[in-house]
Amino acid sequence: MKIIAYGIRNDEMPYLKEWEQKNPEVEVKVETKLLDSSTVEEANGFDGVVAYQQKPYTKEILDKLGSFNIKYLSLRNVGVDNVDADAAKANGITVTNVPAYSPNAIAELAITEIMRLLRNTKRFEDKQRSGDLRWAPEIGQELNSKTVGVFGTGRIGHVLVDICRGFGAKVIAYDPFRNPELEKQGIYVDTPDDLYKQADIISLHAPAVKENEHMVNDKTLSEMKDGSYIINAARGSLIDTDALIKALDSGKLAGAALDTYESEVGVFNVNFDSFDDISDDRLKNLMSRDNVSITPHIAFYTETAVRNMVTLSLDANRDLINTGKSDKIVKL
């Protein structure tokens, strides 16, 4: 059995080596570059492909995999929004993902960013760099006095609900597919508008489906409380960046924390020589604000999550090759 694993980073290698030792019957070829049109030829002769989703899996790439008679593509992440579903189906390619590599990793970063915004830590850090250790005027706020609106109560959202309650916050939630346990607790509101109007802090945990594209826009931002905060550790496409900047400029929003950004591909996880060399002016605008926290899509980036992403994706690919079955198959 031969699997090629694309986009393997140095931090993933120890877990890949562990997996190889436990599965000596499988030959794994490591490719450090991502799967794209320039690297897809390397998959010829392999039984399955493991990849990490940063670039789109286009018709060209999937047609090429199909021409190699490769029927199994296992992603080391949750999202499948940049897989050309029609091309995958046309080539008979089964796609798996890792639906729950670590909900805690994402939720814990979300709560970290909420607390950073409420306690003005970025402003204090900026002051300290210039030798200013005074308190005022950066007086903080307490989470226990806030209403947190969780948009999306899947595994990650559910964990965040529990964490926020531990801080003593009031929690409300919206999800078109309600969790029965949370519904018994009476936290759901009926519409997204209800969430926007009632919450002091809104944390997004929704998938990047077409219906959710720019769900945070001029209209929805206008419905939010004056001085509210928004957190996005889900998908960048959920927020209209131009609308967000306008809401920050006007003071409608008191702040924002973004771990995902709609134009992050080719920018996040890139080492620029200096801040001025960053190629995205809107991103630099946001990064320059003392009430905006930007992290470069690192919510997943914990030892636990990375280990699970590597091992569970390889498990799924192995199982597909052996049996054609896996509990992680995605319905495209």
Side-chain angles (χ1 to χ4, degrees):
M1 186 189 304
K2 296 173 65 179
I3 294 173
I4 182 169
Y6 283 93
I8 296 293
R9 308 181 305 271
N10 288 339
D11 54 82
E12 294 178 304
M13 280 302 297
Y15 310 123
L16 188 146
K17 292 296 185 185
E18 283 182 9
W19 191 89
E20 285 183 308
Q21 291 174 3
K22 295 176 182 178
N23 296 270
E25 76 283 5
V26 184
E27 176 187 337
V28 181
K29 178 181 178 180
V30 171
E31 170 53 72
T32 58
K33 296 179 180 178
L34 296 171
L35 172 59
D36 60 20
S37 58
S38 69
T39 60
V40 65
E41 292 286 346
E42 296 181 38
N44 195 3
F46 287 83
D47 302 304
V49 171
V50 170
Y52 178 69
Q53 178 208 27
Q54 275 184 289
K55 294 185 177 182
Y57 301 128
T58 62
K59 182 178 186 300
E60 175 191 4
I61 292 169
L62 295 170
D63 285 350
K64 185 67 73 170
L65 293 179
S67 73
F68 299 152
N69 200 34
I70 293 174
K71 301 300 181 184
Y72 306 119
L73 172 61
S74 296
L75 306 182
R76 301 197 301 280
N77 47 271
V78 178
V80 294
D81 46 290
N82 61 355
V83 176
D84 187 321
D86 292 335
K89 292 174 186 175
N91 286 285
I93 295 174
T94 299
V95 178
T96 64
N97 68 349
V98 182
Y101 44 80
S102 179
N104 289 73
I106 315 300
E108 287 179 11
L109 184 77
I111 196 66
T112 299
E113 294 304 305
I114 289 170
M115 296 308 303
R116 277 173 53 80
L117 290 172
L118 291 180
R119 299 308 296 264
N120 296 313
T121 58
K122 186 175 181 182
R123 289 172 177 160
F124 278 110
E125 289 164 2
D126 289 344
K127 286 170 63 173
Q128 289 170 29
R129 290 189 190 97
S130 62
D132 186 350
L133 300 180
R134 292 174 296 178
W135 307 337
E138 284 76 31
I139 191 166
Q141 302 175 66
E142 297 181 17
L143 184 54
N144 67 81
S145 66
K146 302 298 181 183
T147 297
V148 179
V150 179
F151 196 117
T153 54
R155 297 177 180 91
I156 297 167
H158 194 166
V159 172
L160 184 62
V161 168
D162 293 340
I163 293 174
C164 289
R165 281 178 164 165
F167 277 86
K170 177 182 177 181
V171 182
I172 60 175
Y174 174 78
D175 196 313
F177 307 100
R178 296 185 174 189
N179 178 294
E181 177 188 341
L182 294 177
E183 187 160 28
K184 289 178 183 177
Q185 298 170 16
I187 71 168
Y188 284 109
V189 295
D190 293 330
T191 68
D193 287 351
D194 293 332
L195 190 84
Y196 298 143
K197 291 174 182 176
Q198 296 178 38
D200 301 300
I201 301 159
I202 296 168
S203 191
L204 304 178
H205 301 283
V209 295
K210 184 178 180 181
E211 294 78 12
N212 290 340
E213 185 172 355
H214 285 183
M215 56 183 275
V216 175
N217 51 50
D218 286 322
K219 179 179 182 299
T220 53
L221 283 162
S222 70
E223 295 169 354
M224 296 178 190
K225 283 186 175 183
D226 291 345
S228 55
Y229 298 87
I230 192 157
I231 315 296
N232 187 8
R235 285 290 181 266
S237 61
L238 302 181
I239 295 181
D240 179 336
T241 304
D242 291 328
L244 175 67
I245 289 173
K246 283 190 286 185
L248 290 164
D249 285 342
S250 70
K252 176 68 178 182
L253 288 179
L258 307 179
D259 186 57
T260 57
Y261 170 64
E262 63 177 330
S263 302
E264 69 182 56
V265 175
V267 180
F268 280 3
N269 204 28
V270 173
N271 183 15
F272 294 92
D273 290 335
S274 69
F275 179 83
D276 290 338
D277 290 327
I278 295 173
S279 54
D280 189 309
D281 288 335
R282 293 190 303 175
L283 181 61
K284 287 195 289 187
N285 177 315
L286 292 166
M287 292 173 68
S288 298
R289 296 170 184 260
D290 62 10
N291 62 340
V292 176
S293 177
I294 303 290
T295 48
H297 210 141
I298 61 166
F300 81 97
Y301 198 51
T302 68
E303 293 176 355
T304 299
V306 171
R307 178 192 295 273
N308 288 339
M309 293 167 80
V310 171
T311 58
L312 295 177
S313 60
L314 285 166
D315 284 347
N317 210 248
R318 177 203 61 206
D319 294 345
L320 287 175
I321 295 167
N322 276 332
T323 67
K325 298 178 181 180
S326 169
D327 61 355
K328 294 176 178 57
I329 292 175
V330 177
K331 293 181 181 180
L332 296 173

